[in-house]
Amino acid sequence: AQDKVRLLLDWFVNPDHAALVIAKQRGLFTKHGLDVELIAPADPNAPPKLVAAGQADYAVSYQPTLQMLVAEGLPLVRVGVLVAQPLNSLVVLEDGPVKTIADFKGRKIGYSIAGFEEAILGAMLEKAGLTLKDVTLININFALTKALMSKQVDGVIGAFRNFELNDLALHKAQGRLWPVEANGVPTYDELVLVAKRETVDAARTKKLLAAIAEATTWLLANPDEAWRLFSTSGKELDNELNKLAWKDTLPLLATDPTALDRDRYQVFADFLLKRRLIKQAPPLDSYLRPIR
Amino acid sequence: MTSLVVAPPLLVCRAHIAYGDRRVARDLSLEFPAGRTTCLLGRSGVGKTSLLRWLAGLLPGATQAQPIAFMAQSDLLLPWLSVLDNVLLGYRLRGDAAALRSAEGRARALLDDVGLAGRSGDRPDQLSGGMRQRAALARTLCEDRPVVLMDEPFAHLDAVTRFDLQDLAARLLADRTVVMVTHDPLEALRLGHHIRVLSGPPLAAGEPIEPSGPLPRDPADAALLGLHARLLAELRGQPT
Amino acid sequence: MTSLVVAPPLLVCRAHIAYGDRRVARDLSLEFPAGRTTCLLGRSGVGKTSLLRWLAGLLPGATQAQPIAFMAQSDLLLPWLSVLDNVLLGYRLRGDAAALRSAEGRARALLDDVGLAGRSGDRPDQLSGGMRQRAALARTLCEDRPVVLMDEPFAHLDAVTRFDLQDLAARLLADRTVVMVTHDPLEALRLGHHIRVLSGPPLAAGEPIEPSGPLPRDPADAALLGLHARLLAELRGQPT
Amino acid sequence: MRPLVTAVGLLLGWEGLVWLTGAPPYILPPPSRVLTVLIERLDLLLAEALWTAAEMLIGLLLGLALGAALAVAFAASAGWRRWALPLVVASQAIPVIAIAPLLVLWLGYGMASKVAMAALVIFFPVVSTLYDGLRRTDQGWLDLARTMDANPRAILLQIRLPAALPALASGARIAAAVAPIGAVIGEWVGASAGLGYLMTLSLARGQTPLAFAALVVLCLLGLALYHATDRAARRLVPWQSQGE
Amino acid sequence: MRPLVTAVGLLLGWEGLVWLTGAPPYILPPPSRVLTVLIERLDLLLAEALWTAAEMLIGLLLGLALGAALAVAFAASAGWRRWALPLVVASQAIPVIAIAPLLVLWLGYGMASKVAMAALVIFFPVVSTLYDGLRRTDQGWLDLARTMDANPRAILLQIRLPAALPALASGARIAAAVAPIGAVIGEWVGASAGLGYLMTLSLARGQTPLAFAALVVLCLLGLALYHATDRAARRLVPWQSQGE
Ligand SMILES: Nc1ncnc2c1ncn2[C@@H]1O[C@H](COP(=O)(O)OP(=O)(O)OP(=O)(O)O)[C@@H](O)[C@H]1O
Ligand SMILES: Nc1ncnc2c1ncn2[C@@H]1O[C@H](COP(=O)(O)OP(=O)(O)OP(=O)(O)O)[C@@H](O)[C@H]1O
Ligand SMILES: [Mg+2]
Ligand SMILES: [Mg+2]
């Protein structure tokens, strides 16, 4: 009998989920004895909580989110990784007035996730000799390209490097991008898989990660066929933006979903502490579960 | 169509009636004898309707001791019910299916009596003012209660219809305790065992006038004409 | 309080009145002479109100040729206005501030005439039924129009008040074209230059009855008593 | 004929708005583009609309039933009024983001939680107007019923409720108008179908014309439901003449 | 005294709900925890509440004014009815996600766009109920006014409008109850203050008790506004007795 697994995505299906979608489409989960159901929510904050509440077995989430939730006492553990580097970046229009981060002095920057993105931005500005007080922060609620192109803001934080530049390009605009990890923010895992601490099943997780690894290998080897498979797997996936993002996303996917860099979590926890996004850093072992 | 219950008398004992600061009655005591029809006359605004509502237990401090049928000054027909259903309203509200079934025949007969036989399926807003009043009268009579209170029940009826319906009421309400407010002294003389002229404020009832003879009386009777003048004088505030 | 306009006659010419399938009047032609009061009698439901609404231009096909004052069968007081403001409603609606100011004195005088002097600030729901009717009467008289249409204007008044207000109406409505529906033949004899008994369906008007003598007439007049009997017979459907 | 004229008029107004405000197409696409997308992707849009329409309808029916039941309970019992009325009012202040995980916890990821969310938006106008209507009953009728020895239940069901039907009709009209947004909010709880889902998805993908095509279909659904409800509401109170 | 009893009762009910459903604290925190946070962070909550309350109030006033004006326009003119009524109904189907960038484009990121969004949610119950009320005027009154040579304007303002005030009161009550969510939705347009903002923020950081404390404050604001409106509405129609 197939082992039923319920996996919550962080958001609507997009190329970031390439490995999961391909694993399902090519029957790799089934091959490993798993019957995986992928569910897409509209609120990226809900999936880890629902996993903690036992409403699903795994959720796709973000390292910073995971660390903040764990600091608040949610019984979550990281069991794997899908994208082992930050995607987040600061973006401006190429022909705009901002050429370097220092040019932001006195300008407007849009953000979407209060607290966390403010902290990242603060670190980046400080590296360039500015502080948050030198800019005006504006909540643009995920309408990144729209805010940029309509000149409501001069720059946006929270832009994914594999998406927003392509989105701008589709609207015949060019973007300039500063990756966060190169500008004062410690590096981190953008997309991780989390499970509930008490009930996480090592054997099953192993199978899940194995299927994902297999899918990743295959799709890196067969990018065009993989795109066809991905774009026909659900509604509205076959569009220009996804097609462009697909190419940019594949190199970012973690080839080894079991990989774990403990230092990276320690450093980032310190960063969160310093930026006062968490009050205390829980011991790493309480929320990192290596699956070998 | 005789009610099984013996009609009781109605007593008002040291009643106070007031709307906010406006005192209508103060320490009013009055008796309406059992099984008789009492007609109330009185100047507009003196408190006839208030007294009737007191008797019906609808005013603060008042209680309704026995089953009554109450016909208010306005017709109070429900616009979403047919005329027939309006006549049967009491039975519908009391929810006794058997009683409702057995009352339907009487309701139809009453509608016939008041001249609305062909209109039983109409909605009230398709009726003329007088027709609405007749429907309300039929509803009141259909209730078949030992005590009946009526507030200007024939005000919107032409002289001929009024005459006929007075006869009908006198026949159907015999032996019940009836209190009827009217503005027509001749109507009071035709229908009332007792007639009382109200004055006020504060509300007070004149001595009962008791014309002789069985109901309904003949208005052309010479004795009644004398009483008519007396009633008018009393109404005018000059008791003879 | 004389209107400057000379009162016109009212003509009904080949009128059709129907509510859906129910034909009330068919090819009805009728004239109400200028500057005179015509009283309409008729059995309940015959179409008196409909005819009055036709004259007021409120029914499909009818038009309102001249300024009128209309008093409907129900009082139609606006619950959010004081009694005084209700009496002045026409002036408020026409929005002529000067006319409104100059009418207020007359409105107060009229309220005094109908016995509501102390109630001009009350809301209508604080009045008794008869008081409401008197307020509506005051509103109609306050309009000061050459043509006045009234539907059972005294139905809820006691005999004495009615008598007084009949006098008031006769005085204030002299020389206007008045059509008044009433159920009281004596009232018609007291107030009407002409009296017409309506019959139907289809609606038809009997020959005009024209009692002699100036208005308001004395109801005790022997000549009137004879006409009274005639009216009743005509109402009953047995024209003498 | 007339709806067509209206539609053309609205489209012209929209085009004018785009032209006047100079809103760029990725924020407010011109109707011509939206129409093209609407026609090209009609099959997709209709398929999604079916979901949303189902959620709207079930939500509306549920909301009507729940709203009517609550209003009657409030009118009947001081206890309900005291304890549940503040809850009902407070329920309108709860954003979907706070309640979505709870709904999923209790009702799962299926249609139930979406419909529950939609009903939560839809039921309130019904409770509120009907309860208002129930406490405005003509005192004369209530007095009459009392003299007829009617119990409070009979008075409520046979006098107050029919007398409050115009108020209920008023509430039902509002409920019908907010049903689309109720359904879209419901889809936020976690959906993989529906016009709201399609809209969020295409907005995130920069496919603004498709999002607006979905919005047009949603508005049409809303208008259709509103007019159907309006008709039903008029039929509910035939004794009351209502102008156009 | 009574509100206190109610509050305690509701808290007990909430605690019972947590206990019964076994909802974990990061999805539905127990009231005791929320109360603690509420007291600890009262200054923060009150500061945010001030923003939201301001948005609610301005939104409500704007919504009432706009709603009343539109309802009167619909009642007065067939043209408005034909062209603007479908627009108004359709406006209720537009999710904030579609309209937020437009509002920002036109009104900027300041308070104006938030208040506009809130008013868009709030005005509809007012239009709908008032317009319903305006077309239900007693025919007798209309006839009387016609015989008095009143022009349509005077009839509308002096007869139909006062007669429709109970309906307006009904709509205002709904508007007051949805004002909090209107304000929160407004904050979604892009805010850096307000209870809705605080709620999103704390939910993202896993501080569910703080989010629910904000929700409690929001509900209290909503209840206060509702009761104030209810009182004002009763005063609006003194000639109409209303039960409790
Ligand atoms: N709105 C309506 N819809 C349908 N039929 C109506 C309507 N109004 C009146 N009728 C009918 O038209 C006829 C005439 O009614 P009308 O009110 O004119 O009578 P009336 O002579 O004034 O009677 P009453 O003395 O009882 O007031 C009646 O048969 C009545 O049922
Ligand atoms: N709801 C009320 N609020 C305030 N005052 C009222 C109310 N109802 C009646 N009144 C007053 O009480 C007095 C008596 O009214 P009531 O209706 O009993 O008179 P009535 O004798 O029936 O008069 P009518 O013959 O005109 O019907 C009047 O002065 C009236 O204004
Ligand atoms: Mg009375
Ligand atoms: Mg009539």
Side-chain angles (χ1 to χ4, degrees), chain A residues 49-283:
Chain A
K49 289 177 199 167
L50 289 169
V51 164
Q55 284 298 300
D57 306 294
Y58 301 96
V60 176
S61 191
Y62 320 105
Q63 177 182 335
T65 302
L66 169 69
Q67 288 185 297
M68 285 192 283
L69 291 182
V70 169
E72 291 295 334
L74 267 73
L76 292 168
V77 287
R78 172 203 186 274
V79 295
V81 61
L82 295 176
V83 174
Q85 68 162 87
L87 296 175
N88 206 337
S89 36
L90 179 61
V91 166
V92 297
L93 287 180
E94 175 76 37
D95 53 5
V98 178
K99 307 296 180 200
T100 69
I101 294 184
D103 293 340
F104 274 114
K105 190 170 174 63
R107 300 200 172 270
K108 289 185 264 185
I109 303 181
Y111 71 99
S112 304
I113 302 175
F116 175 60
E117 286 178 354
E118 282 174 84
I120 291 187
L121 204 57
M124 296 176 82
L125 290 172
E126 275 163 36
K127 181 142 185 282
L130 301 178
T131 70
L132 278 176
K133 291 205 179 64
D134 292 318
V135 300
T136 310
L137 287 184
I138 288 175
N139 185 327
I140 51 173
N141 231 323
F142 298 101
L144 303 178
T145 30
K146 284 175 191 153
L148 262 187
M149 293 176 55
S150 59
K151 309 249 169 14
Q152 296 286 330
V153 295
D154 301 296
V156 293
I157 185 71
F160 273 18
R161 57 197 66 168
N162 50 341
F163 272 95
E164 262 66 27
L165 287 187
N166 288 319
D167 198 8
L168 285 175
L170 280 177
H171 288 109
K172 315 215 166 13
Q174 251 215 300
R176 183 196 301 274
L177 178 147
W178 290 279
V180 296
E181 72 276 15
N183 292 281
V185 179
T187 191
Y188 59 89
D189 298 340
E190 189 70 64
L191 288 189
V192 293
L193 275 177
V194 301
K196 184 173 182 175
R197 186 184 293 144
E198 288 84 12
T199 58
V200 58
D201 177 340
R204 174 206 264 178
T205 308
K206 204 177 256 166
K207 291 184 213 159
L208 185 77
L209 296 180
I212 292 172
E214 227 173 284
T216 311
T217 311
W218 182 82
L219 71 88
L220 288 177
N222 309 281
D224 294 337
E225 201 181 336
W227 164 249
R228 263 194 305 284
L229 209 51
F230 175 83
S231 61
T232 53
S233 71
K235 282 185 203 91
E236 268 324 283
L237 293 173
D238 187 7
N239 59 54
E240 276 310 301
L241 180 58
N242 274 347
K243 200 168 185 174
L244 291 176
W246 180 261
K247 288 200 181 67
D248 290 349
T249 307
L250 293 195
L252 303 172
L253 295 180
T255 44
D256 177 10
T258 63
L260 170 61
D261 179 351
R262 291 171 59 88
D263 287 347
R264 172 181 285 207
Y265 282 78
Q266 187 59 57
V267 171
F268 205 79
D270 292 341
F271 173 78
L272 291 174
L273 256 182
K274 187 167 142 239
R275 291 276 156 192
R276 278 188 289 193
L277 287 171
I278 57 178
K279 289 193 211 69
Q280 86 290 338

Side-chain angles (χ1 to χ4, degrees), chain D residues 82-173:
Chain D
R82 182 175 318 164
W83 295 100
L85 184 58
L87 268 184
V88 164
V89 172
S91 78
Q92 293 308 296
I94 302 177
V96 56
I97 187 174
I99 207 173
L102 263 175
L103 284 179
V104 169
L105 195 67
W106 293 334
L107 300 172
Y109 294 98
M111 189 130 183
S113 52
K114 284 159 204 97
V115 168
M117 193 66 226
L120 192 67
V121 171
I122 293 168
F123 91 110
F124 186 71
V126 180
V127 193
S128 192
T129 53
L130 181 55
Y131 174 47
D132 269 3
L134 287 173
R135 49 184 195 169
R136 275 205 300 251
T137 323
D138 187 299
Q139 189 61 40
W141 290 339
L142 295 179
D143 288 346
L144 177 67
R146 263 179 66 195
T147 66
M148 288 172 163
D149 300 333
N151 56 37
R153 203 185 120 90
I155 293 182
L156 182 60
L157 295 181
Q158 296 189 49
I159 309 263
R160 296 171 69 187
L161 198 57
L165 284 184
L168 175 62
S170 204
R173 263 184 279 260

Side-chain angles (χ1 to χ4, degrees), chain E:
Chain E
M1 190 59 218
R2 233 183 70 187
L4 218 89
V5 175
T6 312
V8 170
L10 293 184
L11 286 181
L12 285 180
W14 180 354
E15 190 87 55
L17 197 73
V18 170
W19 185 81
L20 250 171
T21 61
Y26 40 86
I27 286 188
L28 179 63
S32 47
R33 289 254 334 252
V34 173
L35 262 181
T36 318
V37 173
L38 190 71
I39 292 162
E40 274 172 11
R41 313 295 301 273
L42 201 60
D43 47 344
L44 170 72
L45 286 166
L46 287 184
E48 303 296 327
L50 216 63
W51 275 95
T52 305
E55 289 160 12
M56 268 166 66
L57 263 181
I58 305 181
L60 183 62
L61 292 180
L62 217 71
L64 280 173
L66 183 69
L70 271 175
V72 169
F74 290 162
S77 131
W80 273 88
R81 218 150 47 224
R82 181 175 317 162
W83 295 101
L85 184 58
L87 268 183
V88 165
V89 172
S91 79
Q92 294 308 296
I94 302 177
V96 57
I97 185 173
I99 208 173
L102 262 177
L103 282 180
V104 168
L105 191 70
W106 295 334
L107 301 172
Y109 279 105
M111 190 131 184
S113 52
K114 282 153 208 108
V115 168
M117 193 68 226
L120 191 67
V121 172
I122 292 167
F123 91 110
F124 185 71
V126 180
V127 192
S128 192
T129 53
L130 181 55
Y131 174 47
D132 269 3
L134 287 173
R135 50 183 196 170
R136 276 204 300 251
T137 321
D138 187 299
Q139 188 61 40
W141 289 338
L142 295 180
D143 287 346
L144 178 66
R146 262 179 65 194
T147 66
M148 289 172 162
D149 301 332
N151 57 37
R153 201 185 123 89
I155 294 182
L156 182 60
L157 294 181
Q158 297 190 49
I159 309 263
R160 297 171 68 186
L161 197 57
L165 283 183
L168 174 63
S170 206
R173 264 185 278 261
I174 303 179
V178 301
I181 200 75
V184 166
I185 287 181
E187 285 170 14
W188 213 88
V189 173
S192 46
L195 289 171
Y197 165 80
L198 184 63
M199 234 179 289
T200 325
L201 180 69
S202 26
L203 281 173
R205 289 214 229 157
Q207 301 173 320
T208 318
L210 181 57
F212 273 80
L215 185 57
V216 166
V217 175
L218 187 68
C219 287
L220 290 180
L221 276 186
L223 280 171
L225 190 62
Y226 180 84
H227 282 295
T229 309
D230 189 42
R231 289 212 155 186
R234 277 159 195 260
R235 197 157 306 170
L236 203 63
V237 279
W239 66 90
Q240 193 166 54
S241 67
Q242 288 184 340
E244 212 206 317

Side-chain angles (χ1 to χ4, degrees), chain B residues 119 122 125-132 134 156-158, chain C residues 18-20 22-24 42-53 73 151-152 181 183 198 203:
Chain B
R119 310 296 286 258
D122 280 20
D125 59 8
Q126 298 175 309
L127 301 184
S128 77
M131 287 170 163
R132 293 174 64 101
R134 286 182 270 155
H156 287 292
L157 300 179
D158 63 280
Chain C
Y19 300 96
R22 176 166 293 129
R23 295 201 159 281
V24 175
R43 299 292 295 264
S44 171
V46 80
K48 304 177 292 300
T49 298
S50 305
L51 178 57
L52 224 56
R53 287 169 55 78
Q73 204 160 347
D151 203 351
E152 308 185 20
V181 171
H183 283 314
L198 300 179
L203 194 60

Side-chain angles (χ1 to χ4, degrees), chain B residues 43-50 73 151-152 181 183, chain C residues 128-130 156:
Chain B
R43 298 294 292 263
S44 172
V46 80
K48 302 176 294 298
T49 299
S50 305
Q73 203 161 345
D151 203 349
E152 309 184 18
V181 171
H183 282 313
Chain C
S128 77
H156 287 293

